[in-house]
Amino acid sequence: MGSIRTVQRKRVTRSAGRSWLALAVYLGLAFGLSWLIALPLGVSGDGLEHPAFGAIALCMMLTPAIAALVTVFAIERPQHPAEALGLVPLRPAGRFLGYLGLGLAVPVTLIFAALIAGSVLGVYPADFVTFSAFHDLLTAQTGGGLSMPIGALVALQFVNVILGSILNLLPALGEELGWRGWLLPHLLRFGTVPAIVISGVVWGLWHAPLILLGYNYPTAPGWLGLLMMTGMCTLMGGVLAWLRIRSRSVWPAALAHGALNASIGLAVVFAQSGEDIDTVHATILGWSGWILPAVLIVVLIATQQFTWPPRATVRRRSFF
């Protein structure tokens, strides 16, 4: 009997050791590869004006996925790697499609609501009537009059957001395969709130090479920009975590990440002409935009929407 318990303890110890090793390898690769790729931005002195900035940023987005793949196949070697990464299951189809729809709608709604909240609080210079900043931008781009009423052009921006979300899906999957596909489930053993906070902080700090150069927060000192980015990533990461957990899939979170990236530009569409937008205070990036996501997460926690694994999931291995 004693020998059986000893063997069991050794197995638990080995499992725990492998789990910590996997976490260390994942974080080392995700951060190391990303910061290595971003190195030319700082070394050249061009910063965000570097001619290859777009390609560098895109390659950075792939590093969490690379780290997750290496960790799964080289360290963990599970029986079902696709399931371990959240790529499957895709059933039941109705539930999966429903969460894909939420992945598209929820981020766009939160970003638009952030503009309303910022306007009410006096930190976002909104123009929800004449869309003056957007009007001026289009006029400058076309060099003349508008091809259709400004209201119709504003409505088309939401169509562009949908298309952009779909186009952003695969680049966003480069991040989400790591953050929500692999990392989040490994942190949930510490509890829901710690998992959301830790994964959000990791996600935010991962952006450091760009944020410290002025990305997203051009008017803020580097330390403040990084602090704000970490706060935003923690809150929006909680929303993405909910999509990942409830759907049992990384795809809705990846689509939501793509929608988040695609709809950031709405801040210009609804702004007042001639006014600056301080992202420390306004938009989803600023504190005023964090209010509704924070409320949503509190409600989701209170209603036990972060139960892992979801209660509806019975171990039936039907991936497709």
Side-chain angles (χ1 to χ4, degrees):
M1 190 69 172
S3 60
I4 294 176
R5 289 178 179 174
T6 301
V7 170
Q8 289 175 338
R9 280 197 296 269
K10 287 181 178 179
R11 287 177 178 174
V12 170
T13 301
R14 273 200 302 268
S15 177
R18 183 177 290 270
S19 180
W20 283 108
L21 174 62
L23 187 60
V25 169
Y26 170 77
L27 293 176
L29 287 174
F31 278 76
L33 291 175
S34 176
W35 292 5
L36 182 63
I37 290 170
L39 191 60
L41 300 178
V43 172
S44 67
D46 293 331
L48 303 181
E49 302 301 321
H50 194 287
F53 173 77
I56 289 173
L58 180 61
C59 290
M60 287 179 66
M61 292 182 71
L62 302 178
T63 58
I66 294 172
L69 290 169
V70 171
T71 303
V72 166
F73 285 99
I75 305 298
E76 294 182 318
R77 289 176 286 183
Q79 186 176 0
H80 301 283
E83 186 179 19
L85 291 165
L87 292 170
V88 292
L90 305 181
R91 287 189 174 185
R95 179 185 179 88
F96 177 71
L97 292 174
Y99 277 103
L100 280 178
L102 288 172
L104 183 61
V106 171
V108 178
T109 301
L110 290 175
I111 284 176
F112 184 67
L115 303 182
I116 297 175
S119 177
V120 171
L121 294 169
V123 295
Y124 173 69
D127 182 355
F128 294 117
V129 179
T130 65
F131 317 106
S132 54
F134 188 49
H135 184 281
D136 289 352
L137 176 64
L138 293 177
T139 302
Q141 289 177 344
T142 59
L146 302 181
S147 59
M148 61 179 66
I150 187 65
L153 291 171
V154 169
L156 284 176
Q157 298 313 300
F158 286 95
V159 177
N160 289 338
V161 165
I162 295 174
L163 295 176
S165 302
I166 296 171
L167 291 175
N168 285 335
L169 175 60
L170 290 181
L173 182 65
E175 288 194 44
E176 290 306 312
L177 199 64
W179 306 136
R180 256 61 61 175
W182 187 87
L183 180 62
L184 178 71
H186 283 70
L187 294 176
L188 282 170
R189 66 179 184 269
F190 301 118
T192 296
V193 174
I196 291 174
V197 172
I198 295 171
S199 60
V201 169
V202 168
W203 185 26
L205 293 178
W206 175 85
H207 289 87
L210 301 185
I211 301 301
L212 294 176
L213 292 173
Y215 189 71
N216 281 345
Y217 300 93
T219 63
W223 67 267
L224 180 57
L226 189 57
L227 180 64
M228 298 300 295
M229 188 67 182
T230 301
M232 190 279 292
C233 285
T234 300
L235 289 169
M236 291 306 296
V239 176
L240 300 183
W242 164 64
L243 292 168
R244 162 69 168 107
I245 290 171
R246 299 312 301 171
S247 68
R248 293 186 296 149
S249 169
V250 73
W251 293 103
L255 183 59
H257 193 146
L260 178 64
N261 291 347
S263 52
I264 287 290
L266 292 177
V268 177
V269 175
F270 297 100
Q272 185 177 341
S273 179
E275 298 290 336
D276 294 327
I277 301 173
D278 188 346
T279 50
V280 171
H281 303 286
T283 78
I284 197 69
L285 296 169
W287 63 264
S288 65
W290 300 353
I291 298 172
L292 291 179
V295 171
L296 175 59
I297 291 172
V298 169
V299 171
L300 292 174
I301 292 175
T303 54
Q304 299 182 345
Q305 294 299 302
F306 290 97
T307 302
W308 180 266
R311 293 171 183 170
T313 66
V314 182
R315 297 296 292 177
R316 291 185 304 171
R317 199 162 296 284
S318 177
F319 292 151
F320 304 103

